[in-house]
Amino acid sequence: MRYLFLLIILIPALDISLLLVSGKAIGLWPTIALIILTGILGAYLAKREGLQTIRRVQEQLSYGQLPGDALLDGICVLIGGTLLLTPGFITDITGFFFLFPPSRKAIKSFIIKMWQRRINKGRIKIIK
């Protein structure tokens, strides 16, 4: 939890500094255009990947399967879309990382390992 607080402070500060450096390097209007372009592209990708994920969840449910992998995809797409709508280059790069299927696979395996460690240490208990 303490790392989350640090990220909430550190990432926006770094994003603002990168935006200022970009504004000086390429100019104000190209920087604003890049921010708007990544927002539009991010919204499009999040919509496309989100709809594919919803279809996969529905398909797996119709076959009587639990859609665990597809739900993790949905979480990644939600996080990625949110990050891409947030202005800043660091959040945009991270958002694209969450949206693209090859990199999303690595993120999902990390999330699964993290939850397995917490369950094994007894920090999370599953009650039937």
Side-chain angles (χ1 to χ4, degrees), residues 113-127:
K113 288 177 186 175
M114 180 184 67
W115 282 100
Q116 285 174 340
R117 271 187 266 132
R118 287 183 177 198
I119 290 170
N120 291 339
K121 288 182 179 180
R123 291 182 183 165
I124 297 174
K125 295 184 182 182
I126 300 174
I127 303 171

Side-chain angles (χ1 to χ4, degrees), residues 12-57:
L14 289 173
D15 260 341
I16 290 169
S17 64
L18 275 176
L19 287 171
L20 290 173
V21 168
S22 172
K24 283 188 176 187
I26 63 173
L28 174 69
W29 294 111
T31 302
I32 291 173
L34 274 173
I35 293 169
I36 292 171
L37 180 69
T38 57
I40 292 170
L41 184 62
Y44 168 75
L45 285 173
K47 179 182 176 183
R48 187 186 77 187
E49 293 297 320
L51 289 173
Q52 286 178 353
T53 301
I54 289 172
R55 283 188 209 107
R56 281 189 37 226
V57 167

Side-chain angles (χ1 to χ4, degrees), residues 96-113:
F96 281 121
F97 191 68
F98 272 89
L99 281 181
F100 289 127
S103 58
R104 194 168 57 221
K105 186 176 181 181
I107 292 171
K108 289 189 309 186
S109 69
F110 173 76
I111 291 171
I112 290 170
K113 288 177 186 175

Side-chain angles (χ1 to χ4, degrees), residues 4-18:
L4 182 63
F5 180 72
L6 183 63
L7 286 176
I8 289 173
I9 301 296
L10 191 61
I11 297 298
L14 289 173
D15 260 341
I16 290 169
S17 64
L18 275 176

